[in-house]
Amino acid sequence: MSSPRIAVGVDIGGTKVLGALVDETGAVLREHRVLSPGPWPDMRDAIVGVINELRTGVPELHAVGVGAAGMVDLDGVIHYAPNVPGFRRVPVRASLAEATGLPTTVDNDANTAAYAEIRVGAARGVRDAIVITLGTGIGGGVILGGRVLRGANGFAAEVGHFQIDPVGPMCACGELGHWEAMASGNALGRMAREAAAAGEAPSLLERAHGKVDVIDGHHVSAAAHAGAADALALVDHYAFNVAIGLVGLANIFDPSLIAIAGGLVNDGDLFLEPMRRHFLGHIEGAQYRPTPEIIPAEMGERAGVIGAALLALDRANDAAAPL
Ligand SMILES: [Zn+2]
């Protein structure tokens, strides 16, 4: 039996560059991380340094995959990355391919995380799935027929910026009522602070020692687990906001499974159960169709880096795939 093919996956973040040596089964063989050095070309040198460190002593490295938050086109040019200063129209793929001599793929980190889930995580074996990460914002990957949906330019599946309420709260992108502004992990914290300030969340205020400003999603989880009615009402309202976005996506893409990633998955069914209930209450023709399961994602914080490596290995094998 031949030994498994190996790639380096790289996750470019605002504070760190995380690299991992990953084999084709998704196993992480080694990791290396450095602090983000700031703008390109210092960033390029840091990424190449991470790759070189990881490939030392590896007889054959097959590919490099990179995931980054932001708008990544089909040629692996990062047009804009909100958390990495100076990333504007940077030809990341071409530059890294030249520096390493390896087939290189660059994609949005939500897409790479989604790919990890369908290859080796919660959605393994599923051909049509949606993976949603509820964090600071909302990241989404749409997998159709086993492939990441990338669109004409690579900018598809920016699901966080899907308008749910035209008179809703302001999104980080400047538009009103985007799903991210209403259903991200940060949105839960904002909803909790607003409820506390309005006198509607006494149990949260008590847990935060009377300081509205410090209330976040953790206070909501803790109070809800303890059975506080005000916190349970917030959980239900927030779960509804998540569910209506999932309903829109499911009506459009007809996935067989939706995997949810993010810190609130650690709360088990606290959030997932009301999400499922509201989802089934609103999806088109619930009683006439197989409805997608909504389950927790499995890959955790390494999803992006593992998915980037697997995507690179699979694309290096598939001449028809975009880079
Ligand atoms: Zn937006």
Side-chain angles (χ1 to χ4, degrees):
M1 208 176 99
S2 60
S3 50
R5 296 158 68 244
I6 292 175
V8 168
V10 179
D11 189 357
I12 304 176
T15 57
K16 66 178 189 307
V17 176
L18 169 65
L21 197 62
V22 179
D23 75 16
E24 64 191 343
T25 71
V28 173
L29 309 175
R30 205 148 76 213
E31 266 185 23
H32 185 60
R33 70 181 71 202
V34 296
L35 293 177
S36 285
W40 204 262
D42 292 348
M43 178 61 89
R44 178 197 60 208
D45 296 343
I47 297 169
V48 171
V50 167
I51 295 167
N52 286 338
E53 172 74 27
L54 288 167
R55 75 192 293 188
T56 304
V58 176
E60 192 177 8
L61 186 64
H62 292 83
V64 171
V66 176
M71 299 180 72
V72 184
D73 77 14
L74 299 175
D75 291 323
V77 175
I78 299 185
H79 286 245
Y80 164 71
N83 58 3
V84 187
F87 253 142
R88 299 287 182 271
R89 298 191 179 84
V90 177
V92 177
R93 191 199 63 76
S95 180
L96 295 178
E98 189 189 345
T100 63
L102 291 166
T104 301
T105 188
V106 181
D107 206 331
N108 177 278
D109 62 353
N111 285 346
T112 64
Y115 200 67
E117 295 293 344
I118 69 149
R119 284 282 270 96
V120 295
R124 59 191 166 272
V126 175
R127 296 188 57 76
D128 300 285
I130 294 177
V131 181
I132 299 296
T133 303
L134 304 171
T136 310
I138 295 185
V142 175
I143 311 287
L144 297 176
R147 286 199 171 183
V148 177
L149 175 70
R150 299 193 79 191
N153 302 294
F155 305 148
E158 284 287 324
V159 297
H161 304 284
F162 161 28
Q163 195 175 46
I164 300 292
D165 178 356
V167 294
M170 175 79 81
C171 183
C173 76
E175 296 291 323
L176 293 179
H178 279 183
W179 193 31
E180 172 169 306
M182 299 177 64
S184 63
N186 278 13
L188 173 62
R190 179 186 48 75
M191 290 164 65
R193 289 187 294 278
E194 285 173 1
E200 293 162 3
S203 80
L204 300 183
L205 208 52
E206 191 187 320
R207 280 173 187 273
H209 307 292
K211 296 188 183 113
V212 170
D213 290 353
V214 306
I215 293 175
D216 66 12
H218 297 99
H219 294 98
V220 180
S221 297
H225 279 300
D230 53 353
L232 288 166
L234 270 167
V235 166
D236 192 69
H237 183 189
Y238 172 76
F240 174 81
N241 287 356
V242 176
I244 51 171
L246 298 179
V247 164
L249 294 172
N251 285 343
I252 296 166
F253 293 112
D254 187 22
S256 51
L257 186 143
I258 297 172
I260 306 287
L264 57 79
V265 168
N266 299 330
D267 286 302
D269 276 344
L270 178 67
F271 290 95
L272 288 172
E273 189 284 322
M275 275 179 210
R276 293 180 185 119
R277 179 166 40 80
H278 289 302
F279 178 83
L280 292 175
H282 293 275
I283 189 171
E284 184 190 17
Q287 64 276 47
Y288 302 112
R289 65 187 293 166
T291 49
E293 266 192 283
I294 299 175
I295 63 168
E298 287 178 1
M299 299 298 294
E301 62 175 14
R302 289 185 181 77
V305 77
I306 294 171
L310 294 174
L311 201 52
L313 286 172
D314 290 350
R315 284 181 183 162
N317 253 2
D318 178 0
L323 297 167

